[in-house]
């Protein structure tokens, strides 16, 4: 499939569209329906988006969840400007809201090494969340990942993906589809 013209940036161009916009839209709708059925209003659902990568997915997902919910964000960083995860997870921003007794849904754009979730899920549990579930748009399904991800949008190829929130050195986040740089 041919990338849209805005997939070009300088002399670089995305190589291959892996998940087109319509397919993402359809799958986000399915995830939202499943999530809506999995909680009750009394769970006081807090949907926590991991920035920056989840910003478009979060916006599309929460608009289609038919439950009362609150929205907040975490900023964690593991990649720097490279294409390989460094394994270090730094927390740059976290919500000040009391998690006590609440259901937390952590929304991630992509699970790669799993290091980000392995750090954040126990932290949210330690802060008193009654329940912590993870929804990831993409999952590379690497065997080393030890955290359960309840909702997965798509199994991802083990290549460097960009678009729909995912970046390479901050480029390509705005693309409405997901493409491979390799
Ligand atoms: C990326 C991606 C995930 C995480 C996945 O975030 O958005 O949050 O790494 O990798 P892992 O499973 O190996 O931990 P990044 O640190 O690049 O920040 P960003 O969301 O701002 O792009």
């Amino acid at each position: 499939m041919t990338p849209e013209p805005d997939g070009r940036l300088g002399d670089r161009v995305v190589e291959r569209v892996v998940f087109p916009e319509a397919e993402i839209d359809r799958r986000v709708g399915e995830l939202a329906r499943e999530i809506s059925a999995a909680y009750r209003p009394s769970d006081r659902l807090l949907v926590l988006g991991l920035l920056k990568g989840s910003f478009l997915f979060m916006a599309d997902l929460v608009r289609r969840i038919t439950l009362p919910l609150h929205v907040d964000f975490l900023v964690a960083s593991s990649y720097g400007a490279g294409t390989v995860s460094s394994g270090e997870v730094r927390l740059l921003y976290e919500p000040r809201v009391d998690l006590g007794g609440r259901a937390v849904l952590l929304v991630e754009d992509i699970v790669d090494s799993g290091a980000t979730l392995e750090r954040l899920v126990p932290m949210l549990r330690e802060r008193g969340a009654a329940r912590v579930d993870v929804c990831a748009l993409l999952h590379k399904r690497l065997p080393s990942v030890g955290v359960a991800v309840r909702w997965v949008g798509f199994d991802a190829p083990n290549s460097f993906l960009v678009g729909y929130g995912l970046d390479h050195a901050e480029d390509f986040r705005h693309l409405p589809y997901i493409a491979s740089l390799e």
Side-chain angles (χ1 to χ4, degrees), residues 52-53 77-79 85 108-110 112-116 167 173:
K52 300 177 199 170
S77 188
S78 67
Y79 273 26
S85 177
E108 171 71 297
D109 54 342
I110 184 163
D112 188 350
S113 71
T116 305
D167 74 308
R173 287 196 199 273

Side-chain angles (χ1 to χ4, degrees), residues 61-118:
L61 187 69
V62 295
R63 278 185 286 182
R64 294 163 84 163
I65 297 176
T66 54
L67 280 169
L69 58 82
H70 289 179
V71 167
D72 212 325
F73 294 92
L74 287 162
V75 183
S77 188
S78 67
Y79 273 26
T83 57
V84 178
S85 177
S86 65
E88 271 177 53
V89 180
R90 288 179 298 140
L91 211 50
L92 308 176
Y93 166 82
E94 55 190 299
R96 308 218 181 282
V97 61
D98 182 8
L99 303 185
R102 301 188 71 165
V104 174
L105 178 64
L106 188 58
V107 175
E108 171 71 297
D109 54 342
I110 184 163
V111 182
D112 188 350
S113 71
T116 305
L117 293 180
E118 275 161 28

Side-chain angles (χ1 to χ4, degrees), residues 25-35 61 64 151 153:
D25 183 66
R26 180 193 57 76
R27 188 68 186 123
V28 171
E30 287 176 355
L31 292 170
R33 277 194 293 281
E34 288 178 27
I35 290 166
L61 187 69
R64 294 163 84 163
W151 289 285

Side-chain angles (χ1 to χ4, degrees), residues 112 140 142 156-160 182:
D112 188 350
K140 288 195 173 175
L142 300 183
N158 194 14
S159 58
F160 201 89
E182 297 158 326

